[in-house]
Amino acid sequence: MAMLSSTGFASIPTWSSDGGCDISDRKLTTLKDRAKEKIQMAHSLSVGGGGYVCPLLIREVFIQVLIKLQVCFVQCFSEADRDIMTLANHWNCPVLSSDSDFCIFDLKTGFCPLNSFQWRNMNTIKGTQDCYIPAKCFSLDALCHYFSNMNKALLPLFAVLCGNDHINLPIMDRFLSKVRLPLGAASSKGRRHHRVLGLLNWLSHFADPTEALDNVLKYLPKKDQENVKELLCCSMEEYQQSQVKLQDFFRCGTYVCPDALNLGLPEWVLVALAKGQLAPFISDALVLRRTILHTQVENMQQPNAHRISLPIRQIIYGLLLNVSPQLENMSWNSLPPQTFSEVERVNKTIKTSIVDAAELPKNHCDLSKLTELSLARRLILLLETLKVKQTILDTVPASLKLPIAVTCYWLQHTEAKAKLHHLQALLLGMLMGPLHAMINSPDKKHLREDGAKMLYEELQRMKEQTQPGTRLDLDTAHIFCQWQCCLQMGMYLNQLLSTPLPEPDLTRLYSGSLVHGLCRQLLTSTSVESLLSMCPEAKQLYERLFNATRAFAPAALLLPKGKSNSKKKRQKKQGTNRSKNRVGTISDTRCWYEASNRFGPLMVENMEEHQASELE
């Protein structure tokens, strides 16, 4: 975003993103398949293979960056694709995305895949001070021209015949096996791009979707034709203009979403969702009474890291009950009263678990009036959930109160199995934000020449040393994954309660590379005391953070080094654990956003060259 801003691209900066799952829940199968894929990729990374798994809090970090850069953004109520297409056509501007579905939408000025941007190749327009970043722009008109000037209204039918996120009918394999597709194999065993090219060539012979659909149905049994036609037509509508006018949000701060209004949700909830102040997790729990718990690079032999934050989620679910009669009458909502379902990792697959919502006092059970509760009462509910007394946080800076409260919660749960160096590494990592503020504060210029800058640079050096390929301690990774799960749900509860505690700056709160590097250093050559000796201000802050958390730590965690084992025995044990639990983390060269791009082949510049290279 900083690069786009520097080129003037963001002179009218806007960003639109998906919200919760589609309320029709037609994508559930796709979402579950993706969850399984992520588990396999996380497992691959955990044992030294390749893959790409987004950090758990990437959405929250991204929103904070947008706010810092003053980029206006809206979070759509559910799937954003149609709303984004409608907005882009209203503004006559291209769409920037990693979703190849935008190859199918009829966009007036095209679609720029994010992975086509040459981010490090900023250029200046000759004779001006204007800058630009080279990128590719996909044009639907150019695609249709390539395929004998086919009617672009046929593209949605092409998408649903290929199978998209909303529909994947096994019976379509019958059609694809019987129809004679030019340029490629019709069999499902053939390469995917052959089918894509062949299907586009086949469709180009028809004048419109009605004629093409009739010809598709000829290849199916008569008893199935009506049902298939209805499903295909319904799925094709997903590529049409949306009734939602997102431009209203950017003009006056609100917009009308018919789907959301029909559910009878409180006005403050709709506003908070649109502004990104409530996460899609909340809308999924609210509307579908189902959530998906995303897998991290953790120890797959242990229970999933989200188990530790279950009590926090149960409080969230308790606050979301009894919202509106419309939600209670939803046809798919067949769960027992007071329960929610969670899609979670069990070993290396997924399982749907039924979870009871927490019982809350009556004055907390009306979501429409939750914002009317006093700040003190909302804070009490938050801190009681995290099992922390307010006095514990009195000496903690406002920006770190929530992370420290979450850390206290994390330490109290035996699932975490945290050790002293894990806690120390987390707290040292939390100093990065305050150190950055010290260094850049105009009132503390002298600190630029003393310990604050030295310590900041030393921590940065440790972070940079932990690069892809560095061996990963799986037990340590799992422990930090558990902490992140606690922080995520602590933040979601805090947001639902209208932030009785300030939201922390996530961009400098936690870095996996840094805490893993610190753990290695603390176990071998470095002590907290020696590290902080260069900056008294940071040492004082660290001691306040440590003292706030130590009361919640198990007694064994605070035992001095060497109390129960000799140095030799400790080193031997560490060596054994490392050989068992440390593995490589070779990074996959592909970008995380290239996964599941069904229509990626359409973005190839020269289809004939691509086809020839694949055939070779």
Side-chain angles (χ1 to χ4, degrees):
M1 294 306 296
M3 288 292 292
L4 290 175
S5 181
S6 66
T7 62
F9 193 100
S11 56
I12 309 178
T14 58
W15 193 276
S16 304
S17 67
D18 286 332
C21 296
D22 183 6
I23 62 172
S24 69
D25 221 14
R26 283 180 293 174
K27 281 185 68 173
L28 180 58
T29 300
T30 299
L31 293 171
K32 286 185 174 181
D33 288 342
R34 287 180 182 171
K36 292 175 184 176
E37 289 172 5
K38 289 297 181 186
I39 289 172
Q40 296 307 315
M41 282 193 277
H43 172 65
S44 175
L45 285 166
S46 72
V47 297
Y52 34 87
V53 176
C54 291
L56 190 64
L57 292 165
I58 191 171
R59 171 198 166 271
E60 286 67 36
V61 172
F62 184 62
I63 284 180
Q64 289 188 358
V65 171
L66 292 178
I67 292 170
K68 285 181 183 178
L69 294 175
Q70 297 183 321
V71 176
C72 298
F73 68 92
V74 61
Q75 180 177 271
C76 297
F77 184 68
S78 56
E79 286 286 310
D81 291 3
R82 293 177 65 198
D83 299 343
I84 290 172
M85 181 263 284
T86 306
L87 178 65
N89 285 341
H90 178 79
W91 281 346
N92 287 311
C93 65
V95 170
L96 280 66
S97 177
S98 58
D99 188 348
S100 63
D101 269 333
F102 285 108
C103 292
I104 308 300
F105 285 104
D106 187 7
L107 293 162
K108 291 180 182 178
T109 50
F111 156 54
C112 298
L114 282 172
N115 60 354
S116 76
F117 281 79
Q118 300 174 32
W119 299 109
R120 300 183 185 277
N121 185 21
M122 189 159 60
N123 293 274
T124 304
I125 299 175
K126 191 174 181 179
T128 72
Q129 293 183 336
D130 296 332
C131 299
Y132 68 93
I133 300 170
K136 295 177 183 178
C137 187
F138 175 85
S139 166
L140 197 64
D141 290 330
L143 176 73
C144 291
H145 176 73
Y146 182 89
F147 288 98
S148 308
N149 292 312
M150 72 182 291
N151 183 351
K152 57 187 173 184
L154 290 162
L155 269 296
L157 177 58
F158 158 74
V160 299
L161 290 176
C162 280
N164 61 10
D165 290 348
H166 298 278
I167 185 171
N168 193 7
L169 294 175
I171 198 171
M172 296 317 300
D173 289 335
R174 178 175 182 137
F175 156 71
L176 292 167
S177 65
K178 287 192 171 186
V179 67
R180 297 186 63 182
L181 296 179
L183 280 179
S187 169
S188 61
K189 295 179 182 179
R191 294 181 178 177
R192 181 171 181 79
H193 77 279
H194 290 170
R195 177 179 288 185
V196 167
L197 296 175
L199 191 53
L200 284 168
N201 272 303
W202 185 79
L203 287 170
S204 68
H205 293 96
F206 302 109
D208 55 46
T210 302
E211 182 187 354
L213 184 56
D214 288 342
N215 276 273
V216 169
L217 297 175
K218 289 178 183 177
Y219 292 92
L220 304 181
K222 283 191 176 182
K223 62 182 179 64
D224 297 321
Q225 288 181 4
E226 280 305 312
N227 285 338
V228 171
K229 183 177 181 179
E230 184 179 347
L231 284 169
L232 292 177
C233 289
C234 184
S235 296
M236 288 165 62
E237 290 177 6
E238 295 299 323
Y239 295 97
Q240 304 307 311
Q241 289 267 119
S242 166
Q243 295 179 343
V244 173
K245 297 179 179 179
L246 289 181
Q247 60 267 28
D248 292 346
F249 179 86
F250 294 109
R251 188 175 63 249
C252 56
T254 59
Y255 77 101
V256 176
C257 175
D259 287 341
L261 286 178
N262 293 338
L263 295 175
L265 301 178
E267 179 67 21
W268 78 266
V269 172
L270 296 178
V271 172
L273 285 170
K275 292 182 176 180
Q277 295 167 351
L278 290 176
F281 175 92
I282 298 296
S283 58
D284 285 347
L286 188 58
V287 176
L288 302 174
R289 280 172 61 191
R290 186 203 67 235
T291 57
I292 297 177
L293 306 177
H294 297 288
T295 301
Q296 303 173 79
V297 181
E298 55 192 68
N299 190 336
M300 298 293 167
Q301 295 180 353
Q302 294 189 32
N304 79 76
H306 288 281
R307 292 287 180 91
I308 194 171
S309 59
L310 174 59
I312 306 176
R313 296 198 301 278
Q314 288 177 303
I315 296 293
I316 292 173
Y317 298 152
L319 291 169
L320 299 178
L321 287 172
N322 308 317
V323 177
S324 71
Q326 291 94 318
L327 285 178
E328 292 175 10
N329 294 331
M330 289 294 186
S331 59
W332 64 79
N333 204 338
S334 57
L335 288 168
Q338 315 294 312
T339 63
F340 290 72
S341 66
E342 295 182 336
V343 179
E344 61 176 348
R345 176 186 71 81
V346 175
N347 298 319
K348 286 186 281 185
T349 187
I350 60 170
K351 176 186 176 183
T352 300
S353 303
I354 305 300
V355 172
D356 292 322
E359 288 190 31
L360 299 173
K362 287 185 178 180
N363 53 10
H364 293 81
C365 290
D366 188 346
L367 187 63
S368 63
K369 297 180 180 178
L370 191 58
T371 54
E372 298 174 14
L373 290 177
S374 67
L375 172 62
R377 291 175 73 178
R378 286 182 279 120
L379 180 59
I380 288 171
L381 177 58
L382 175 64
L383 295 182
E384 283 183 349
T385 303
L386 298 177
K387 302 177 183 178
V388 178
K389 292 184 179 179
Q390 189 171 348
T391 53
I392 294 292
L393 304 177
D394 287 346
T395 60
V396 176
S399 61
L400 293 176
K401 286 184 185 293
L402 182 59
I404 290 300
V406 164
T407 304
C408 294
Y409 171 92
W410 170 73
L411 287 170
Q412 293 176 74
H413 284 75
T414 55
E415 298 102 313
K417 298 179 182 176
K419 295 183 172 57
L420 180 59
H421 63 281
H422 297 133
L423 175 60
Q424 290 172 329
L426 272 177
L427 299 183
L428 287 169
M430 290 182 195
L431 298 181
M432 291 295 279
L435 284 171
H436 184 267
M438 288 180 197
I439 295 168
N440 293 283
S441 171
D443 300 328
K444 298 183 179 181
K445 291 182 180 178
H446 66 283
L447 286 171
R448 298 187 184 188
E449 300 175 1
D450 67 11
K453 189 173 182 181
M454 291 173 58
L455 178 57
Y456 187 84
E457 290 174 350
E458 176 63 15
L459 292 174
Q460 282 283 47
R461 185 186 64 79
M462 289 188 184
K463 177 180 176 181
E464 290 164 6
Q465 284 181 342
T466 310
Q467 295 298 326
T470 304
R471 297 185 73 79
L472 179 68
D473 184 316
L474 268 187
D475 290 337
T476 293
H478 199 84
I479 287 166
F480 286 139
C481 285
Q482 290 172 319
W483 182 84
Q484 290 179 78
C485 292
C486 295
L487 179 63
Q488 182 190 44
M489 290 305 152
M491 285 187 65
Y492 289 172
L493 177 58
N494 190 50
Q495 291 170 350
L496 190 57
L497 295 171
S498 301
T499 58
L501 288 180
E503 196 156 288
D505 178 4
L506 295 174
T507 60
R508 289 189 175 86
L509 178 72
Y510 175 85
S511 163
S513 300
L514 176 57
V515 295
H516 280 274
L518 281 165
C519 279
R520 282 192 296 274
Q521 292 291 324
L522 292 169
L523 282 172
T524 55
S525 58
T526 305
S527 69
V528 173
E529 293 75 15
S530 63
L531 194 59
L532 296 178
S533 61
M534 61 184 80
C535 183
E537 294 88 352
K539 181 180 180 183
Q540 184 180 27
L541 175 55
Y542 173 87
E543 288 173 349
R544 285 155 60 188
L545 301 181
F546 186 79
N547 289 333
T549 57
R550 67 182 301 163
F552 299 91
L557 183 143
L558 300 174
L559 285 175
K561 288 184 180 180
K563 183 83 175 180
S564 57
N565 291 309
S566 67
K567 185 176 180 180
K568 186 176 180 180
K569 286 182 178 179
R570 279 204 319 279
Q571 288 176 339
K572 184 178 179 181
K573 185 176 180 181
Q574 287 167 9
T576 304
N577 287 339
R578 286 172 191 161
S579 65
K580 286 183 179 179
N581 294 325
R582 292 195 177 188
V583 295
T585 56
I586 301 167
S587 177
D588 196 299
T589 55
R590 292 175 294 171
C591 297
W592 59 266
Y593 49 71
E594 291 179 1
S596 303
N597 256 353
R598 297 175 186 273
F599 309 118
L602 302 186
M603 293 183 280
V604 175
E605 281 188 285
N606 190 323
M607 289 215 174
E608 291 172 348
E609 288 181 9
H610 178 67
Q611 184 185 3
S613 65
E614 286 290 338
L615 286 171
E616 290 172 6

